[in-house]
Amino acid sequence: MESKEQWKSELRQWVEGGQLRQATFSQLRSKEGGAPAKTVIRPIELKGALHYQFQYYIDNKVTHENIPQPEAAERIASWLEQHYKQALFKTNDADVQILFSKKGKASVVTKPATAKQDTESLTHNRQKQRVVQEGEAAPFMVELGIMTKDGQVIAKKQDKFRQINRFLEMVTDVLPHLPADRELTIVDFGCGKSYLTFALYHLLAVKQQRRISVVGLDLKADVIAFCSELAHKLGYDNLKFQVGDISQYKDQSSVDMVVTLHACDTATDAALVKAVEWGASVILSVPCCQHELFRQIRNDAMAPLLSHGLLKERFSALATDAIRAQLLEVVGYRTQLLEFIDPEHTPKNMLIRAVRASGGSAETERKWREYLVFRDMLQVTPYLEKALGERLPQG
């Protein structure tokens, strides 16, 4: 048993000393008080100052409140006493469980620490400064059902929220490669419901006040109608959507950025060819359903791998994206293959990010020779090589 003053004093020391890593409150004293079923508290850094973030779990929603460090100890103690029977505090030195009796007396059990962290790892666990911050409502996210009107992320949309921010981080990284002295032209091939198209417009046109013109292209007329209506509702005047096929699209003579997300099989290649023809400064592509090479690959030495359909499918997808990245290098791009967070938890989470570069002829020849060795080893004739045609050294 422990007095109220004693555990509160220890709590104050944990908070003021920056030792509290997490607190979890559960088992409501009363279900009629309207308190959340669970509250989780973590340290975060906001604008260079330590705060403690309260995460409130109510039904299927999670809301947040950030409390400055000087006020946190008193708030944590009062919130626990008012609403909960049980708490688990994780500190640098120990895990401390507090159980309250019906009369409000505290019973404390202390165990070895499971959340001991150094200063560096604490910094990594502090709230990430995302492009779109929770608590600041982005109109497009509200309309698409990701956020509430007060800026809280809906629990079931947390994965989509993270995916959008991951995409915007990747866009932010390549902004120095885009022209800064004129209007940017951006095309999104296979835009679908356009979560990321709207996010891109929000970042560049709304937050950064850049002059841009964005076109979203998709084969589904009902999806395009939905996106067009939403763009009009949001006042995104320079964001247009139209029905069309990637390979047949000819409405632009030059484009600065090409985005293609989950365009199926060689539709991704068709988008890459368009980007190269336009001389796009930036290409962002998340390939999907890479079936082309699956039907072509032949190599007796790789029989233990290729004889298993599942392994052959995965290898074919990796080989396809390796070929795409290498051919983009050959025609003058610097490429990276990055992990892209997919909200549906599928393996289709590889993003090819390419920026226009000035490579010398010797470097081009080396990349081309590497490609030929790889291609011939697999005995394949990739669509992308044929479509790039005269832009490749053999052309």
Side-chain angles (χ1 to χ4, degrees), residues 106-331:
S107 176
V108 178
V109 178
T110 301
K111 297 181 180 180
T114 60
K116 189 171 182 178
Q117 302 177 33
D118 57 21
T119 304
E120 182 179 1
S121 59
L122 173 60
T123 301
H124 290 167
N125 279 343
R126 288 176 180 166
Q127 188 181 53
K128 191 170 187 177
Q129 294 301 305
R130 295 186 168 104
V131 177
V132 179
Q133 288 288 338
E134 186 161 6
E136 300 176 8
F140 81 94
M141 282 199 173
V142 176
E143 294 296 334
L144 289 169
I146 300 171
M147 276 183 167
T148 62
K149 291 183 179 179
D150 60 356
Q152 302 304 318
V153 178
I154 295 171
K156 292 181 179 179
K157 295 293 184 178
Q158 287 285 346
D159 289 327
K160 177 63 75 174
F161 178 70
R162 286 193 291 270
Q163 182 207 39
I164 288 173
N165 273 288
R166 173 63 172 156
F167 175 70
L168 293 182
E169 289 170 13
M170 292 177 169
V171 172
T172 301
D173 288 343
V174 297
L175 289 183
H177 298 276
L178 293 169
D181 58 349
R182 59 171 174 80
E183 181 179 276
L184 297 175
T185 301
I186 301 169
V187 174
D188 183 351
F189 284 124
C191 59
K193 198 173 179 181
S194 300
Y195 288 93
L196 302 183
T197 322
F198 285 108
L200 183 63
Y201 193 92
H202 174 80
L203 170 66
L204 298 178
V206 179
K207 297 197 74 172
Q208 297 190 357
Q209 294 292 300
R210 299 187 69 162
R211 292 182 297 130
I212 65 172
S213 174
V214 183
V215 175
L217 190 76
D218 200 276
L219 290 170
K220 298 177 182 177
D222 57 336
V223 171
I224 292 300
F226 168 82
C227 294
S228 296
E229 183 179 343
L230 180 54
H232 177 73
K233 183 177 182 179
L234 292 168
Y236 289 1
D237 297 334
N238 291 321
L239 173 56
K240 308 297 182 185
F241 295 93
Q242 60 188 84
V243 178
D245 182 85
I246 293 172
S247 61
Q248 304 300 318
Y249 184 73
K250 298 179 180 179
D251 289 9
Q252 304 288 342
S253 58
S254 65
V255 172
D256 298 298
M257 178 190 290
V258 171
V259 178
T260 168
L261 304 173
H262 296 163
C264 190
D265 203 16
T266 56
T268 292
D269 299 301
L272 296 179
V273 171
K274 285 289 185 183
V276 172
E277 290 175 349
W278 284 323
S281 299
V282 172
I283 303 170
L284 298 173
S285 175
V286 177
C288 176
C289 305
Q290 302 94 320
H291 297 314
E292 183 199 17
L293 295 195
F294 182 86
R295 299 183 291 270
Q296 298 183 24
I297 290 178
R298 299 286 186 277
N299 187 306
D300 292 341
M302 297 176 65
L305 185 152
L306 299 179
S307 62
H308 299 280
L310 178 62
L311 296 180
K312 183 179 179 182
E313 181 181 3
R314 292 182 179 177
F315 177 77
S316 299
L318 293 172
T320 300
D321 292 335
I323 284 172
R324 287 166 172 161
Q326 190 75 4
L327 286 175
L328 286 174
E329 294 265 357
V330 171
V331 296

